[in-house]
PDB file of all heavy atoms in Angstrom:
ATOM      1  N   SER Q 200      76.462  95.932 105.199  1.00 98.00           N
ATOM      2  CA  SER Q 200      75.352  96.180 104.275  1.00 98.00           C
ATOM      3  C   SER Q 200      75.330  97.617 103.783  1.00 98.00           C
ATOM      4  O   SER Q 200      74.323  98.098 103.290  1.00 98.00           O
ATOM      5  CB  SER Q 200      74.018  95.842 104.947  1.00 98.00           C
ATOM      6  OG  SER Q 200      73.733  96.744 106.010  1.00 98.00           O
ATOM      7  N   SER Q 201      76.464  98.295 103.899  1.00 98.00           N
ATOM      8  CA  SER Q 201      76.571  99.677 103.450  1.00 98.00           C
ATOM      9  C   SER Q 201      77.468  99.769 102.226  1.00 98.00           C
ATOM     10  O   SER Q 201      78.494  99.092 102.153  1.00 98.00           O
ATOM     11  CB  SER Q 201      77.153 100.552 104.567  1.00 98.00           C
ATOM     12  OG  SER Q 201      77.324 101.886 104.119  1.00 98.00           O
ATOM     13  N   PRO Q 202      77.123 100.625 101.266  1.00 98.00           N
ATOM     14  CA  PRO Q 202      78.067 100.941 100.197  1.00 98.00           C
ATOM     15  C   PRO Q 202      79.077 101.954 100.705  1.00 98.00           C
ATOM     16  O   PRO Q 202      78.838 102.648 101.699  1.00 98.00           O
ATOM     17  CB  PRO Q 202      77.171 101.556  99.113  1.00 98.00           C
ATOM     18  CG  PRO Q 202      76.097 102.243  99.903  1.00 98.00           C
ATOM     19  CD  PRO Q 202      75.849 101.366 101.112  1.00 98.00           C
ATOM     20  N   TYR Q 203      80.200 102.067 100.024  1.00 98.00           N
ATOM     21  CA  TYR Q 203      81.226 103.043 100.395  1.00 98.00           C
ATOM     22  C   TYR Q 203      81.755 103.730  99.143  1.00 98.00           C
ATOM     23  O   TYR Q 203      81.896 103.099  98.093  1.00 98.00           O
ATOM     24  CB  TYR Q 203      82.356 102.368 101.167  1.00 98.00           C
ATOM     25  CG  TYR Q 203      81.884 101.763 102.466  1.00 98.00           C
ATOM     26  CD1 TYR Q 203      81.627 100.392 102.569  1.00 98.00           C
ATOM     27  CD2 TYR Q 203      81.637 102.567 103.579  1.00 98.00           C
ATOM     28  CE1 TYR Q 203      81.152  99.845 103.752  1.00 98.00           C
ATOM     29  CE2 TYR Q 203      81.165 102.026 104.766  1.00 98.00           C
ATOM     30  CZ  TYR Q 203      80.922 100.671 104.854  1.00 98.00           C
ATOM     31  OH  TYR Q 203      80.433 100.126 106.017  1.00 98.00           O
ATOM     32  N   PHE Q 204      82.064 105.018  99.282  1.00 98.00           N
ATOM     33  CA  PHE Q 204      82.442 105.863  98.160  1.00 98.00           C
ATOM     34  C   PHE Q 204      83.688 106.670  98.523  1.00 98.00           C
ATOM     35  O   PHE Q 204      83.774 107.225  99.627  1.00 98.00           O
ATOM     36  CB  PHE Q 204      81.320 106.836  97.814  1.00 98.00           C
ATOM     37  CG  PHE Q 204      79.980 106.194  97.586  1.00 98.00           C
ATOM     38  CD1 PHE Q 204      79.140 105.918  98.657  1.00 98.00           C
ATOM     39  CD2 PHE Q 204      79.551 105.873  96.303  1.00 98.00           C
ATOM     40  CE1 PHE Q 204      77.897 105.326  98.459  1.00 98.00           C
ATOM     41  CE2 PHE Q 204      78.308 105.277  96.099  1.00 98.00           C
ATOM     42  CZ  PHE Q 204      77.485 105.004  97.178  1.00 98.00           C
ATOM     43  N   SER Q 205      84.613 106.786  97.585  1.00 98.00           N
ATOM     44  CA  SER Q 205      85.826 107.560  97.865  1.00 98.00           C
ATOM     45  C   SER Q 205      85.548 109.059  97.875  1.00 98.00           C
ATOM     46  O   SER Q 205      86.291 109.806  98.499  1.00 98.00           O
ATOM     47  CB  SER Q 205      86.911 107.248  96.831  1.00 98.00           C
ATOM     48  OG  SER Q 205      86.535 107.694  95.541  1.00 98.00           O
ATOM     49  N   THR Q 206      84.523 109.519  97.223  1.00 98.00           N
ATOM     50  CA  THR Q 206      84.147 110.924  96.980  1.00 98.00           C
ATOM     51  C   THR Q 206      85.242 111.673  96.215  1.00 98.00           C
ATOM     52  O   THR Q 206      84.933 112.499  95.361  1.00 98.00           O
ATOM     53  CB  THR Q 206      83.747 111.688  98.261  1.00 98.00           C
ATOM     54  OG1 THR Q 206      84.867 111.942  99.077  1.00 98.00           O
ATOM     55  CG2 THR Q 206      82.656 110.932  99.026  1.00 98.00           C
ATOM     56  N   HIS Q 207      86.498 111.426  96.503  1.00 98.00           N
ATOM     57  CA  HIS Q 207      87.590 112.010  95.721  1.00 98.00           C
ATOM     58  C   HIS Q 207      87.804 111.194  94.444  1.00 98.00           C
ATOM     59  O   HIS Q 207      87.646 109.971  94.440  1.00 98.00           O
ATOM     60  CB  HIS Q 207      88.900 111.996  96.515  1.00 98.00           C
ATOM     61  CG  HIS Q 207      88.829 112.766  97.793  1.00 98.00           C
ATOM     62  ND1 HIS Q 207      88.580 114.107  97.845  1.00 98.00           N
ATOM     63  CD2 HIS Q 207      88.983 112.362  99.079  1.00 98.00           C
ATOM     64  CE1 HIS Q 207      88.585 114.517  99.099  1.00 98.00           C
ATOM     65  NE2 HIS Q 207      88.813 113.476  99.876  1.00 98.00           N
ATOM     66  N   ALA Q 208      88.182 111.882  93.391  1.00 98.00           N
ATOM     67  CA  ALA Q 208      88.582 111.222  92.148  1.00 98.00           C
ATOM     68  C   ALA Q 208      90.104 111.086  92.121  1.00 98.00           C
ATOM     69  O   ALA Q 208      90.829 111.890  92.718  1.00 98.00           O
ATOM     70  CB  ALA Q 208      88.111 112.017  90.940  1.00 98.00           C
ATOM     71  N   PHE Q 209      90.563 110.063  91.411  1.00 98.00           N
ATOM     72  CA  PHE Q 209      91.985 109.827  91.214  1.00 98.00           C
ATOM     73  C   PHE Q 209      92.227 109.595  89.722  1.00 98.00           C
ATOM     74  O   PHE Q 209      91.294 109.290  88.967  1.00 98.00           O
ATOM     75  CB  PHE Q 209      92.457 108.622  92.033  1.00 98.00           C
ATOM     76  CG  PHE Q 209      92.273 108.804  93.519  1.00 98.00           C
ATOM     77  CD1 PHE Q 209      91.070 108.444  94.132  1.00 98.00           C
ATOM     78  CD2 PHE Q 209      93.277 109.352  94.290  1.00 98.00           C
ATOM     79  CE1 PHE Q 209      90.885 108.623  95.494  1.00 98.00           C
ATOM     80  CE2 PHE Q 209      93.097 109.537  95.656  1.00 98.00           C
ATOM     81  CZ  PHE Q 209      91.905 109.177  96.265  1.00 98.00           C
ATOM     82  N   LEU Q 210      93.484 109.729  89.314  1.00 98.00           N
ATOM     83  CA  LEU Q 210      93.861 109.529  87.920  1.00 98.00           C
ATOM     84  C   LEU Q 210      94.512 108.159  87.774  1.00 98.00           C
ATOM     85  O   LEU Q 210      95.513 107.864  88.446  1.00 98.00           O
ATOM     86  CB  LEU Q 210      94.822 110.625  87.464  1.00 98.00           C
ATOM     87  CG  LEU Q 210      94.293 112.055  87.595  1.00 98.00           C
ATOM     88  CD1 LEU Q 210      95.380 113.057  87.227  1.00 98.00           C
ATOM     89  CD2 LEU Q 210      93.060 112.263  86.737  1.00 98.00           C
ATOM     90  N   PHE Q 211      93.947 107.326  86.912  1.00 98.00           N
ATOM     91  CA  PHE Q 211      94.384 105.947  86.741  1.00 98.00           C
ATOM     92  C   PHE Q 211      95.061 105.791  85.382  1.00 98.00           C
ATOM     93  O   PHE Q 211      94.490 106.139  84.355  1.00 98.00           O
ATOM     94  CB  PHE Q 211      93.195 104.988  86.852  1.00 98.00           C
ATOM     95  CG  PHE Q 211      92.581 104.945  88.223  1.00 98.00           C
ATOM     96  CD1 PHE Q 211      91.656 105.911  88.617  1.00 98.00           C
ATOM     97  CD2 PHE Q 211      92.937 103.959  89.135  1.00 98.00           C
ATOM     98  CE1 PHE Q 211      91.086 105.880  89.884  1.00 98.00           C
ATOM     99  CE2 PHE Q 211      92.378 103.925  90.407  1.00 98.00           C
ATOM    100  CZ  PHE Q 211      91.446 104.885  90.779  1.00 98.00           C
ATOM    101  N   GLY Q 212      96.279 105.233  85.409  1.00 96.00           N
ATOM    102  CA  GLY Q 212      97.015 105.002  84.177  1.00 96.00           C
ATOM    103  C   GLY Q 212      98.436 105.522  84.284  1.00 96.00           C
ATOM    104  O   GLY Q 212      98.752 106.380  85.124  1.00 96.00           O
ATOM    105  N   ALA Q 213      99.309 104.989  83.438  1.00 92.00           N
ATOM    106  CA  ALA Q 213     100.698 105.423  83.441  1.00 92.00           C
ATOM    107  C   ALA Q 213     100.787 106.898  83.073  1.00 92.00           C
ATOM    108  O   ALA Q 213      99.927 107.448  82.366  1.00 92.00           O
ATOM    109  CB  ALA Q 213     101.509 104.582  82.463  1.00 92.00           C
ATOM    110  N   GLU Q 214     101.850 107.540  83.557  1.00 87.00           N
ATOM    111  CA  GLU Q 214     101.989 108.986  83.352  1.00 87.00           C
ATOM    112  C   GLU Q 214     102.017 109.368  81.887  1.00 87.00           C
ATOM    113  O   GLU Q 214     101.551 110.446  81.499  1.00 87.00           O
ATOM    114  CB  GLU Q 214     103.269 109.468  84.052  1.00 87.00           C
ATOM    115  CG  GLU Q 214     103.389 110.975  84.095  1.00 87.00           C
ATOM    116  CD  GLU Q 214     104.577 111.434  84.924  1.00 87.00           C
ATOM    117  OE1 GLU Q 214     105.235 110.569  85.540  1.00 87.00           O
ATOM    118  OE2 GLU Q 214     104.839 112.647  84.959  1.00 87.00           O
ATOM    119  N   ASP Q 215     102.559 108.480  81.043  1.00 86.00           N
ATOM    120  CA  ASP Q 215     102.661 108.794  79.618  1.00 86.00           C
ATOM    121  C   ASP Q 215     101.451 108.305  78.827  1.00 86.00           C
ATOM    122  O   ASP Q 215     101.470 108.283  77.603  1.00 86.00           O
ATOM    123  CB  ASP Q 215     103.938 108.193  79.025  1.00 86.00           C
ATOM    124  CG  ASP Q 215     104.003 106.670  79.181  1.00 86.00           C
ATOM    125  OD1 ASP Q 215     103.107 106.102  79.847  1.00 86.00           O
ATOM    126  OD2 ASP Q 215     104.950 106.058  78.645  1.00 86.00           O
ATOM    127  N   SER Q 216     100.375 107.911  79.548  1.00 86.00           N
ATOM    128  CA  SER Q 216      99.171 107.403  78.871  1.00 86.00           C
ATOM    129  C   SER Q 216      98.028 108.408  78.998  1.00 86.00           C
ATOM    130  O   SER Q 216      98.156 109.435  79.678  1.00 86.00           O
ATOM    131  CB  SER Q 216      98.742 106.065  79.479  1.00 86.00           C
ATOM    132  OG  SER Q 216      98.258 106.263  80.801  1.00 86.00           O
ATOM    133  N   ASP Q 217      96.942 108.097  78.351  1.00 89.00           N
ATOM    134  CA  ASP Q 217      95.732 108.909  78.460  1.00 89.00           C
ATOM    135  C   ASP Q 217      95.002 108.469  79.724  1.00 89.00           C
ATOM    136  O   ASP Q 217      94.178 107.568  79.716  1.00 89.00           O
ATOM    137  CB  ASP Q 217      94.849 108.704  77.226  1.00 89.00           C
ATOM    138  CG  ASP Q 217      93.672 109.662  77.200  1.00 89.00           C
ATOM    139  OD1 ASP Q 217      93.692 110.648  77.967  1.00 89.00           O
ATOM    140  OD2 ASP Q 217      92.731 109.432  76.414  1.00 89.00           O
ATOM    141  N   ARG Q 218      95.303 109.105  80.848  1.00 95.00           N
ATOM    142  CA  ARG Q 218      94.806 108.636  82.135  1.00 95.00           C
ATOM    143  C   ARG Q 218      93.316 108.923  82.304  1.00 95.00           C
ATOM    144  O   ARG Q 218      92.784 109.898  81.788  1.00 95.00           O
ATOM    145  CB  ARG Q 218      95.609 109.280  83.266  1.00 95.00           C
ATOM    146  CG  ARG Q 218      97.054 108.828  83.281  1.00 95.00           C
ATOM    147  CD  ARG Q 218      97.828 109.424  84.428  1.00 95.00           C
ATOM    148  NE  ARG Q 218      97.967 110.871  84.277  1.00 95.00           N
ATOM    149  CZ  ARG Q 218      98.641 111.640  85.140  1.00 95.00           C
ATOM    150  NH1 ARG Q 218      99.203 111.095  86.200  1.00 95.00           N
ATOM    151  NH2 ARG Q 218      98.745 112.940  84.944  1.00 95.00           N
TER     152      ARG Q 218
END
Side-chain angles (χ1 to χ4, degrees):
S200 67
S201 177
Y203 298 100
F204 307 85
S205 66
T206 71
H207 300 298
F209 299 88
L210 302 175
F211 294 83
E214 189 174 355
D215 59 354
S216 69
D217 188 15
R218 294 182 293 182

